Amino acid sequence: MSDWIFVMRGHAQECLTQIQQKKWILNDHTTNKSKLQKGDKVLFYIAGQHRQRIIADAIISYKLKIEDEKQIVGLYKINIWKERLLIITLIPLLEFVKNKEKWGIHFQRGIIPIIKKDFELILKNKIIKKSQHNDPLKILKIRCAKGKIAKKEF
């Protein structure tokens, strides 16, 4: 089984509507779609300035298929997160993000493969309180103080 991040550009509500229908629509040019398998785990990321948040997770219930002339994968065990996780708070810890200063380049594809360790780290951190999301640098400094990451300013 593999772990993935599905990237959507636009508003969170559009993404949530699609997720709640228990399917994810893919376009013709989406990379990695042929690698998706039943049982793979997925995180849903909303891209764009002032967004950049993980908003849900799910498991793929069936591989890529055509439905109403659209390419889709099915979803189950869907968890819509009450608190959306601002991804910048974890960038220093994510191994799949090689360029920490220009981390956004790692979120430019529609489907991003990630290692299990990064997937679990994101899930573990989804409980960060909303009030902390207002200042990503404050969160990084808190984590630095606790010795969880090397000190680094962005």
Side-chain angles (χ1 to χ4, degrees):
M1 301 300 154
S2 299
D3 298 322
W4 307 93
I5 296 177
F6 285 8
V7 178
M8 181 169 191
R9 287 143 190 86
H11 295 285
Q13 192 54 50
E14 295 172 44
C15 181
L16 291 172
T17 299
Q18 195 175 153
I19 294 168
Q20 289 167 338
Q21 294 173 0
K22 297 184 179 181
K23 58 185 171 183
W24 191 255
I25 300 170
L26 304 165
N27 72 39
D28 293 335
H29 305 291
T30 302
T31 57
N32 295 314
K33 65 184 175 188
S34 63
K35 298 176 183 176
L36 300 174
Q37 299 291 321
K38 180 179 178 177
D40 286 357
K41 296 177 189 172
V42 179
L43 296 166
F44 296 90
Y45 173 76
I46 303 297
Q49 191 174 13
H50 307 297
R51 294 186 182 111
Q52 303 165 337
R53 286 167 168 73
I54 303 285
I55 64 166
D57 65 273
I59 297 176
I60 296 177
S61 61
Y62 55 84
K63 289 173 36 170
L64 187 68
K65 72 176 189 177
I66 306 296
E67 183 179 286
D68 298 326
E69 298 182 24
K70 295 178 181 173
Q71 300 177 61
I72 63 165
V73 293
L75 304 170
Y76 76 109
K77 293 191 178 180
I78 298 166
N79 297 303
I80 307 293
W81 297 8
K82 291 179 183 176
E83 303 291 337
R84 296 170 181 168
L85 178 65
L86 186 61
I87 198 67
I88 194 171
T89 62
L90 294 178
I91 294 302
L93 302 172
L94 295 172
E95 290 184 26
F96 84 94
V97 178
K98 302 297 181 202
N99 187 337
K100 306 296 186 190
E101 292 178 17
K102 296 183 181 179
W103 60 269
I105 62 173
H106 298 282
F107 291 86
Q108 292 185 346
R109 294 173 282 154
I111 300 174
I112 304 165
I114 64 171
I115 62 172
K116 185 171 212 57
K117 180 180 174 185
D118 285 348
F119 189 93
E120 290 172 357
L121 175 70
I122 293 169
L123 282 180
K124 184 175 115 180
N125 280 275
K126 74 179 181 180
I127 58 172
I128 292 175
K129 294 178 183 173
K130 191 173 187 176
S131 61
Q132 290 177 319
H133 289 311
N134 296 333
D135 187 359
L137 290 177
K138 181 179 178 182
I139 296 169
L140 291 176
K141 289 175 185 174
I142 290 168
R143 289 187 175 152
C144 287
K146 291 181 179 178
K148 293 186 178 179
I149 59 175
K151 291 185 180 182
K152 180 171 182 162
E153 290 293 324
F154 281 84

